Amino acid sequence: MIMKTPPRSVDSYTAQELRDIAERAEWRRQDGYIVPPASVPIYVEALRALARERARG
């Protein structure tokens, strides 16, 4: 049986974790990973912007 982990608040992700999620979303775009395929570009850009802000401190 696969156990799902509880959802995390976006505030708990590090800049690197956000970049990793963005990369996976692009890679799995056609699978509907996280968001519908047509929404992936804006989702990825938002994650990367948040990662940049988080990296600045």
Side-chain angles (χ1 to χ4, degrees), residues 1 13 15 23 26 29 32 36 45 49 51-52 55 57:
M1 176 187 221
Y13 288 93
E23 186 176 313
E26 281 185 319
R29 178 182 186 151
E45 185 54 37
R52 285 190 299 272

Side-chain angles (χ1 to χ4, degrees), residues 1-5:
M1 176 187 221
I2 296 174
M3 302 281 291
K4 288 184 93 176
T5 58

Side-chain angles (χ1 to χ4, degrees), residues 1 5-7 9 11 13-14 18 25 27 29 32 41 45-46 55-56:
M1 176 187 221
T5 58
S9 164
D11 295 334
Y13 288 93
T14 66
L18 292 168
W27 181 63
R29 178 182 186 151
E45 185 54 37
R56 284 186 200 142

Side-chain angles (χ1 to χ4, degrees), residues 29-30 35-43:
R29 178 182 186 151
Q30 296 308 313
V35 296
S39 301
V40 169
I42 195 152
Y43 179 77

Side-chain angles (χ1 to χ4, degrees), residues 5-15 17-18 21 24 54:
T5 58
R8 288 173 56 185
S9 164
V10 72
D11 295 334
S12 71
Y13 288 93
T14 66
E17 288 173 320
L18 292 168
I21 293 168
R24 283 194 307 273
R54 184 118 340 125

